[in-house]
């Protein structure tokens, strides 16, 4: 694999952006979720440091440092561990915590070292990102089949997915209208990308890895376009950067690559043939295992799974342990090549320091890889049972810190008989009822599905989970009804950021109740025109009985779950200048939808970063033009390396060379002067001798 300087920097920048979105998204919801008058009061406050640090890391490369990423990880972990019993965090939070911890190993130590030089072990630590991507995607594909969900085995999952996912986008409506044969073909492509594609991540052939990169990115982009999964898919795209190298990034930037290909034509053609064989094998496997057949009369491609659950289980038993050994060999190769890089460093002190760093980070990488085998092998019981007990003990020790996790997305398809949705209604007289519409989740049949990535409205997500069962499985729902009856503004803002859109913003409702409906996307009309509404629904059952403040049922439920007045109303408020400033900013943006706020911050940050990049590029161009006009001995430092430290080292080397040349020139000048003085003395002596001889001749 080529150099990974640029992909590594791009990854760290993306992580700063994702941290910013995660912290801001949660920060604006904290009062309604965990405040004194929120759903689940907690003795804890989200510190503004997380959002501020992530914004700084996004704007300034010097802050994309191990220490900064350590602080971000600790802050997010503290939020994760303070999560309450009845409103848990989601799998994407686990992924962010695991990736965030790896950033501590991948990022440089700028603040301590004062240097951003390329370290010889960077390839080793960055390899962990690729391994995490492999575990995530491979497990996500495998669990869909091991769950025995009939929609995945029947390739019909996408005929339900678009309308039953937590919060679809308006594009999901159009995707839902696609013909069934196309939906089944899309499911087949998902299996190929998630199960076969990850096996190419560790290929020694560069173009196979690049092909796997574009396959994964295509899948994530399609998911982003049709569903609101906050920062999860953006984080997955960031992980995909581990499949790139500097050469391909230069291709994106239209920069000439300075690496010359010294491979023979025979080897090049052999690589081409091998790559073609791999792609042909994947296409052939898709045709055989999914029984693809082209029906020219109906103009469609039929597909079905042509293997059994037992056969797939045998396949899983066959490949799980070899996948582990592929990871072992790939990591060993990176460690050995990095060791040779350390050995080739000039200077004893630099070589010694580099070797010490290589030893520490290689050991840390090996440890992370080892403990990750426990959650990875959860996909196959026998393989997990064959692990050394010491590995499990090590995993148990660090499990609470979410350093490594098991993954498996969309294991089973819910809402096959219609999307269950809870609708809350309020009334002032108990006779006429008004539906309380949420900003993001489906409710109003005429409201288009929103686009809000990377924001995660946690109450709307919890409402989706609550609708899957009785209200007793979601105890927090009782407190939601209780707070709405009290008219608590912080909770109301979780439902409608613009409180004026809340139907009871002037006076809290006297009565509340909740019903469960079944929702479906509407269909296009027979003439091909679009309907006026996005959704249709039918009544299912009562979800929560009619309650009011002081009702026996409500009081008993609140008391049973221990939610009533858990904390005193007073909480010490920090009067530090930064805290006061943050509260002022928050008051100014109050009423602005969270996703708009996040988009604004991200847009401004990206614009500033682009301007910085253009300015830096302009400086490099100016230096290059100046170097062309300087006589021999000068060099273009911007063109020599994309790394400022490398350019600095080149300048220092050039400076040392210049000093040597000056000293050498001085020595040469001294020798010349001595020779001239000696020659003058000889000429003076000859003149004296001639004068003496002439005097002798004149004497009688």
């Amino acid at each position: 694999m080529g150099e990974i300087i640029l992909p590594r920097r791009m990854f760290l920048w993306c992580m700063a952006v994702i941290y910013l979105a995660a912290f801001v998204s949660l920060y604006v919801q904290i009062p309604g979720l965990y405040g004194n008058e929120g759903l689940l009061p907690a003795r804890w406050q989200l510190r503004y440091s997380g959002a501020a640090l992530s914004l700084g890391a996004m704007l300034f490369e010097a802050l994309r440092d191990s220490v900064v990423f350590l602080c971000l990880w600790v802050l997010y972990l503290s939020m994760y561990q303070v999560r309450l019993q009845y409103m848990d965090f989601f799998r994407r939070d686990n992924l962010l915590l695991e990736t965030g911890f790896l950033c501590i190993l991948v990022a440089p130590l700028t603040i301590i070292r004062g240097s951003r030089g390329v370290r010889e072990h960077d390839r080793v630590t960055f390899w962990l990102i690729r391994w995490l991507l492999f575990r995530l995607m491979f497990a996500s594909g495998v669990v869909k089949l091991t769950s025995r969900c009939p929609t995945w085995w029947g390739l019909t999952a996408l005929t339900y997915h678009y309308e039953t996912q937590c919060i679809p986008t308006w594009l999901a409506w159009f995707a839902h209208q696609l013909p069934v044969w196309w939906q089944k073909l899309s499911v087949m492509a998902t299996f190929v990308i998630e199960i076969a594609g990850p096996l190419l991540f560790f290929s020694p052939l560069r173009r196979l890895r690049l092909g796997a990169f574009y396959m994964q990115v295509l899948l994530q982009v399609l998911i982003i376009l049709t569903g609101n999964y906050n920062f999860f898919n953006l984080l997955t795209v960031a992980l995909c950067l581990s499949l790139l190298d500097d050469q391909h990034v230069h291709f994106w930037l239209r920069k000439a690559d300075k690496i010359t290909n010294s491979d023979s034509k025979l080897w090049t053609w052999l690589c081409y043939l091998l790559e073609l064989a791999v792609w042909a094998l994947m296409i052939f496997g898709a045709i055989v295992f999914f029984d693809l057949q082209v029906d020219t009369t109906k103009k469609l491609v039929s597909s079905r799974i042509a293997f059994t659950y037992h056969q797939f289980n045998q396949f899983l038993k066959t490949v799980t342990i070899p996948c582990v050994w592929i990871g072992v060999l790939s990591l060993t190769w990176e460690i050995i090549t990095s060791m040779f890089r350390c050995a080739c460093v000039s200077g004893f002190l630099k070589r010694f320091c580099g070797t010490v760093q290589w030893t520490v980070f290689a050991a840390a990488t090996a440890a992370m890889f080892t403990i990750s085998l426990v959650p990875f092998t959860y996909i196959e019981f026998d393989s997990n049972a064959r692990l050394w007990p010491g590995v499990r003990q090590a995993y148990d020790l660090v499990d609470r810190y979410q350093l490594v996790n098991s993954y498996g997305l969309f294991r089973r398809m819910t809402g096959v008989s219609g999307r269950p949705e809870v609708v809350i209604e309020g009334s002032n007289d108990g006779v006429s009822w008004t539906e309380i519409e949420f900003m993001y989740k489906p409710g109003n049949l005429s409201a288009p599905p929103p686009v809000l990535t990377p924001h995660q409205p946690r109450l709307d997500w919890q409402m989706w989970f609550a609708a899957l069962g009785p209200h007793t499985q979601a105890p927090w729902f009782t407190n939601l009804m209780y707070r709405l009856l009290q008219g608590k503004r912080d909770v109301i803002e979780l439902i409608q950021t613009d409180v004026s859109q809340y139907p009871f913003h002037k006076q809290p409702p006297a009565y509340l109740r909740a019903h469960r409906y079944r929702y479906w996307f509407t269909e296009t009309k027979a003439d091909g025109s679009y309907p006026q509404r996005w959704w249709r629904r039918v009544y299912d059952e009562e979800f929560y009985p009619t309650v009011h403040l002081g009702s026996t049922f409500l009081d008993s439920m609140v008391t049973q779950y221990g939610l009533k007045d858990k904390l005193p109303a007073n909480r010490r408020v920090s009067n530090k200048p930064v805290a006061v400033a943050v509260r002022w900013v928050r008051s100014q943006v109050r009423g602005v939808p969270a996703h708009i706020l996040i988009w604004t911050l991200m847009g401004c940050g990206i614009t500033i970063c682009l301007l910085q990049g253009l300015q830096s590029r302009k400086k490099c161009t100016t230096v290059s033009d100046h170097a062309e006009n300087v006589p021999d001995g000068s060099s273009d430092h911007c063109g020599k390396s994309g790394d400022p430290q490398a350019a600095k080292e080149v300048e220092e080397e050039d400076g040392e060379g210049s000093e040597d040349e000056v000293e050498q020139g001085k020595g040469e000048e001294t020798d010349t002067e001595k020779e001239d003085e000696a020659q003058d003395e000889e000429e003076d002596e000859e003149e004296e001798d001639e004068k003496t001889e002439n005097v002798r001749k004149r004497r009688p």
Side-chain angles (χ1 to χ4, degrees):
M1 190 171 182
E3 294 295 335
I4 46 88
I5 299 174
L6 295 179
R8 172 173 158 267
R9 289 183 175 180
M10 293 168 60
F11 169 74
L12 293 175
W13 182 84
C14 290
M15 285 303 301
V17 175
I18 292 169
Y19 262 128
L20 174 66
F23 276 112
V24 174
S25 175
L26 187 56
Y27 181 77
V28 297
Q29 300 177 80
I30 285 299
L33 292 176
Y34 303 122
N36 282 340
E37 297 181 344
L39 296 180
L40 300 169
R43 297 181 181 275
W44 162 81
Q45 299 180 63
L46 171 64
R47 298 185 180 274
Y48 48 81
S49 311
L53 271 179
S54 55
L55 180 60
M58 176 184 176
L59 296 178
F60 305 105
E61 187 176 13
L63 290 180
R64 284 168 227 153
D65 179 88
S66 291
V67 177
V68 173
F69 279 109
L70 174 61
C71 295
L72 292 173
W73 179 77
V74 170
L75 288 171
Y76 207 80
L77 179 65
S78 65
M79 295 189 304
Y80 181 90
Q81 292 185 334
V82 177
R83 70 194 191 282
L84 299 181
Q85 180 181 0
Y86 302 124
M87 186 174 284
D88 207 344
F89 274 39
F90 300 96
R91 182 61 62 187
R92 53 207 49 85
D93 294 304
N94 298 80
L95 181 61
L96 179 56
L97 283 171
E98 181 171 352
T99 310
F101 183 80
L102 296 183
C103 287
I104 302 172
L105 301 177
V106 173
L109 286 169
T110 304
I111 295 178
I112 295 178
R113 238 179 16 169
S115 169
R116 298 199 64 84
V118 178
R119 304 171 299 180
E120 284 69 25
H121 61 266
D122 283 340
R123 295 166 61 90
V124 177
T125 53
F126 199 53
W127 181 91
L128 284 173
I129 305 299
R130 205 183 338 158
W131 173 247
L132 172 57
L133 176 66
F134 172 79
R135 289 165 40 219
L136 171 67
M137 300 311 301
F138 188 73
S140 298
V142 164
V143 298
K144 292 177 174 62
L145 295 175
T146 57
S147 66
R148 297 191 180 188
C149 177
T151 61
W152 287 116
W153 278 92
L155 301 182
T156 59
L158 290 183
T159 60
Y160 307 102
H161 165 73
Y162 295 116
E163 65 182 2
T164 61
Q165 58 184 320
C166 290
I167 304 178
T169 68
W170 60 270
L171 284 175
W173 186 91
F174 293 94
H176 182 73
Q177 311 304 320
L178 295 172
V180 175
W181 69 268
W182 180 265
Q183 306 281 24
K184 298 175 82 172
L185 206 62
S186 300
V187 175
M188 182 218 68
T190 301
F191 283 132
V192 172
I193 293 174
E194 292 186 342
I195 297 178
L199 299 177
L200 303 178
F201 292 174
F202 304 104
S203 169
L205 299 179
R206 175 175 172 271
R207 280 182 291 267
L208 290 180
R209 294 194 304 272
L210 294 179
F213 166 80
Y214 285 108
M215 290 169 60
Q216 303 302 323
V217 171
L218 173 63
L219 177 62
Q220 300 307 317
V221 170
L222 292 176
I223 296 175
I224 291 173
L225 292 176
T226 57
N228 293 287
Y229 293 97
N230 51 76
F231 55 79
F232 178 78
N233 302 108
L234 297 177
L235 180 54
T236 306
V237 172
L239 294 175
C240 291
L241 295 175
S242 61
L243 301 175
L244 300 179
D245 54 22
D246 287 358
Q247 183 180 352
H248 198 67
V249 177
H250 284 150
F251 169 76
W252 285 351
L253 301 176
R254 295 295 187 270
K255 287 185 178 181
D257 190 57
K258 298 183 180 181
I259 300 177
T260 58
N261 188 2
S262 58
D263 296 336
S264 63
K265 291 185 177 181
L266 177 60
W267 175 254
T268 302
W269 278 105
L270 286 175
C271 291
Y272 277 125
L273 291 175
L274 184 57
E275 291 163 1
L276 288 175
V278 170
W279 295 121
L281 181 62
M282 290 184 65
I283 296 173
F284 176 76
I287 295 174
V288 172
F289 292 118
F290 294 94
D291 193 21
L292 298 182
Q293 296 181 2
V294 179
D295 190 338
T296 56
T297 58
K298 297 182 180 179
K299 297 182 179 180
L300 55 84
V301 178
S302 64
S303 58
R304 68 177 183 86
I305 291 182
F307 52 87
T308 64
Y309 174 80
H310 175 72
Q311 290 173 331
F312 180 75
N313 202 33
Q314 287 298 119
F315 161 78
L316 202 55
K317 289 182 179 180
T318 304
V319 302
T320 302
I321 295 300
C323 285
V324 172
W325 282 109
I326 289 175
V328 171
L329 293 176
S330 179
L331 177 58
T332 303
W333 173 260
E334 296 293 350
I335 291 176
I336 292 175
T337 54
S338 298
M339 179 183 66
F340 278 104
R341 284 170 174 256
C342 291
C344 295
V345 173
S346 60
F348 172 78
L349 186 59
K350 287 185 177 180
R351 184 163 57 249
F352 176 77
C353 294
T355 303
V356 172
Q357 291 185 30
W358 170 84
T359 304
V360 172
F361 283 92
T365 302
M368 289 294 296
F369 170 75
T370 303
I371 61 176
S372 71
L373 297 180
V374 176
F376 171 67
T377 53
Y378 283 160
I379 60 177
E380 206 283 304
F381 177 78
D382 291 340
S383 300
N384 184 267
R386 293 167 60 183
L387 291 178
W388 182 46
V391 176
R392 289 198 188 86
Q393 294 176 1
Y395 171 76
D396 293 336
L397 290 175
V398 300
D399 184 38
R400 58 175 299 196
Y401 301 109
Q402 305 300 315
L403 300 186
V404 291
N405 299 278
S406 61
Y407 301 100
L409 308 175
F410 305 107
R411 184 185 301 269
R412 299 187 66 87
M413 195 56 56
T414 58
V416 175
S417 59
R419 174 196 182 96
E421 200 66 59
V422 174
V423 176
I424 302 175
E425 298 177 345
S427 174
N428 290 320
D429 54 11
V431 178
S432 59
W433 294 86
T434 302
E435 291 188 5
I436 296 178
E437 183 180 350
F438 283 64
M439 275 189 66
Y440 304 115
K441 84 177 191 68
N444 186 347
L445 301 180
S446 301
V451 177
L452 51 108
T453 300
H455 173 54
Q456 180 179 353
R458 295 182 179 262
L459 178 59
D460 295 67
W461 274 69
Q462 292 291 348
M463 290 289 289
W464 183 84
F465 287 106
L468 299 178
H471 71 83
T472 53
Q473 293 183 2
W476 58 266
F477 189 84
T478 294
N479 217 31
L480 172 63
M481 304 288 278
Y482 183 65
R483 294 304 191 193
L484 292 179
L485 288 171
Q486 291 178 322
K488 299 301 183 181
R489 181 184 175 93
D490 290 338
V491 176
I492 293 173
E493 288 183 345
L494 294 177
I495 298 175
Q496 287 288 344
T497 305
D498 184 1
V499 179
S500 63
Q501 300 297 319
Y502 182 69
F504 300 98
H505 65 278
K506 294 182 179 179
Q507 180 182 358
Y511 302 93
L512 283 178
R513 68 183 183 185
H515 294 289
R516 181 165 27 222
Y517 289 82
R518 296 283 174 176
Y519 276 67
W520 295 269
F521 272 143
T522 54
E523 307 290 339
T524 55
K525 297 180 180 180
D527 59 358
S529 60
Y530 297 137
Q532 294 181 347
R533 293 183 173 181
W534 295 83
W535 298 95
R536 63 183 178 89
R537 73 180 185 183
V538 296
Y539 179 80
D540 189 4
E541 61 182 348
E542 181 184 73
F543 181 78
Y544 204 89
T546 302
V547 293
H548 58 85
L549 289 178
S551 66
T552 305
F553 176 80
L554 181 63
D555 288 344
S556 63
M557 294 295 290
V558 171
T559 304
Q560 176 183 347
Y561 297 131
L563 300 173
K564 189 173 184 179
D565 300 329
K566 292 180 63 175
L567 291 176
N570 58 337
R571 173 186 282 171
R572 188 178 62 181
V573 179
S574 174
N575 292 321
K576 294 181 180 179
V578 178
V580 173
V582 170
R583 286 198 298 271
W584 179 84
V585 172
R586 185 174 192 167
S587 65
Q588 299 303 308
V589 300
R590 195 165 194 173
V592 178
H595 64 285
I596 300 295
L597 177 61
I598 295 173
W599 289 350
T600 303
L601 287 173
M602 291 176 60
C604 293
I606 292 173
T607 302
I608 293 174
C609 291
L610 288 175
L611 293 176
Q612 291 175 346
L614 291 175
Q615 185 178 8
S616 176
R617 185 174 182 180
K618 184 177 180 181
K619 288 181 179 180
C620 288
T621 304
T622 304
V623 173
S624 299
D625 295 339
H626 175 70
E628 292 177 356
N629 298 327
V630 174
D632 296 340
S634 62
S635 60
D636 181 9
H637 301 310
C638 290
K640 285 188 176 183
S641 174
D643 193 289
Q645 176 64 17
K648 182 179 178 182
E649 292 176 355
V650 171
E651 291 174 359
E652 292 175 355
E653 291 174 2
D654 290 345
E656 292 174 359
S658 300
E659 291 177 1
D660 293 339
E661 291 174 1
V662 171
E663 291 178 358
Q664 183 179 359
K666 288 182 179 179
E668 292 175 356
E669 291 176 1
T670 304
D671 294 339
T672 303
E673 291 175 359
K674 289 180 179 180
E675 291 177 0
D676 293 341
E677 291 177 358
Q679 186 175 359
D680 292 338
E681 290 176 359
E682 291 177 359
E683 291 177 355
D684 292 340
E685 290 177 359
E686 290 177 357
E687 290 178 359
E688 290 293 335
D689 292 340
E690 290 178 357
K691 290 179 181 179
T692 304
E693 186 65 26
N694 291 333
V695 170
R696 289 178 180 176
K697 289 180 179 179
R698 292 176 184 175
R699 289 180 181 177

